[in-house]
Amino acid sequence: MVLAQFKPIKPLLIFFTVCLFLNIAIDALYDFFSYRVNSINDIAVELSTERIRLQAELRNNSSKSEAQERKIDELSQQHKALTDRIHHLKEIKSQISFGSISIDIILLILIALWTHRSHYNTSILLQTRLSFGRPWASLGYFIPLVNLIIPILIMQDIWSRLFPEYKGKTRLVVTPTTVYLLLVCIPVVFSITGVFLSFIPDTFFQGYFKGFYYTNTITFHVIDNLQPLARCMLVLLLWKLTGRINKIYNNQRLSQGTSTDREAIPVGSQ
């Protein structure tokens, strides 16, 4: 009866893994287009500066130079072409950003469903009651601030029930704690640092820190580079938990089938 209530979680995790790596690829593509926009924009700024300089020289000179006028026209055309290119790339970036947000929503729903089912399966397979009720396993992801704490506590509780042999061991790399540190704690700390630094005048750090999530700040780069690693570790953690849940389920199903076969042997047939 208990095994009949088991809810499959592997298909959810497969879909989650595919979406997660697709999201990582989309984020890398977004970074590439951002780099292209910044590079082209730097060139456009140089062309605009050169054009303004030539126009100033042309105004100061009493005699007009046809060569300078042609040069100014060429710079204007090149600047317009680059501006159009930047506008086109920004449109692509907005589409990529929309796709990334859409996949983020799908990922949030999938991991909420996975956690809900894993919580339920762990409780029925081990015949135990976990620290948090089953509704929190899914709703905890959608409540602001709560979603920074409750999901990891639930996952840690599932981990401790499924892997009691790992209790007290601190050298494990992929655990709920390490994933939580990389995925939540470090980004939150650096985000708070970025907010704090945004109130400090630019001249205090010689113009290096220029506000919250500015492209050239340490805050942005640390978070941006840690996210792929943290997401990969999250996938490894989920697969490890899923493998243990399925292993317990298969062992119980096998033992139940063996006991059923023994009960079905007629009396006196041995």
Side-chain angles (χ1 to χ4, degrees), residues 120-136:
Y120 175 76
N121 290 337
T122 302
S123 62
I124 65 171
L125 291 176
L126 301 182
Q127 295 294 300
T128 184
R129 184 171 181 173
L130 277 71
S131 301
F132 292 87
R134 207 189 322 164
W136 282 109

Side-chain angles (χ1 to χ4, degrees), residues 10 27 63 144 153-154 167 216 229:
K10 191 173 181 179
D27 288 345
S63 59
L153 292 179
I154 294 175
K167 187 176 181 180
N216 293 327
L229 174 62

Side-chain angles (χ1 to χ4, degrees), residues 106-121:
I106 294 174
L107 287 172
L108 183 62
I109 295 173
L110 288 174
I111 195 172
L113 289 174
W114 181 91
T115 307
H116 186 271
R117 289 190 176 189
S118 297
H119 182 283
Y120 175 76
N121 290 337

Side-chain angles (χ1 to χ4, degrees), residues 29-92:
L29 188 63
Y30 182 87
D31 291 340
F32 170 76
F33 277 98
S34 298
Y35 172 77
R36 289 291 299 158
V37 168
N38 292 334
S39 300
I40 296 175
N41 186 67
D42 291 340
I43 298 174
V45 170
E46 292 178 1
L47 291 178
S48 178
T49 303
E50 179 66 15
R51 185 187 60 183
I52 293 173
R53 185 186 66 80
L54 290 176
Q55 288 175 342
E57 290 181 356
L58 192 62
R59 283 195 300 267
N60 293 332
N61 293 334
S62 57
S63 59
K64 293 185 177 180
S65 172
E66 293 183 0
Q68 283 185 327
E69 290 180 351
R70 285 197 303 267
K71 183 64 175 178
I72 291 173
D73 292 337
E74 290 177 2
L75 291 174
S76 299
Q77 292 174 3
Q78 292 176 5
H79 184 269
K80 184 179 183 304
L82 291 177
T83 303
D84 293 340
R85 180 64 175 167
I86 291 173
H87 180 70
H88 177 66
L89 291 177
K90 285 184 176 180
E91 288 181 350
I92 297 177

Side-chain angles (χ1 to χ4, degrees), residues 18-34 92-104 106-107 224 228 231:
V18 172
C19 290
L20 186 70
F21 284 106
L22 179 62
N23 197 11
I24 292 175
I26 289 176
D27 288 345
L29 188 63
Y30 182 87
D31 291 340
F32 170 76
F33 277 98
S34 298
I92 297 177
K93 278 181 58 180
S94 63
Q95 295 172 1
I96 295 174
S97 179
F98 176 77
S100 179
I101 293 173
S102 301
I103 295 179
D104 282 338
I106 294 174
L107 287 172
D224 194 47
R231 293 175 185 180

Side-chain angles (χ1 to χ4, degrees), residues 129-170:
R129 184 171 181 173
L130 277 71
S131 301
F132 292 87
R134 207 189 322 164
W136 282 109
S138 54
L139 294 178
Y141 286 93
F142 301 96
I143 302 175
L145 298 181
V146 173
N147 57 8
L148 299 177
I149 302 175
I150 295 298
I152 189 60
L153 292 179
I154 294 175
M155 203 168 292
Q156 181 66 46
D157 193 18
I158 296 174
W159 171 272
S160 62
R161 306 300 176 96
L162 295 176
F163 297 97
E165 66 272 20
Y166 289 159
K167 187 176 181 180
K169 294 185 178 181
T170 58

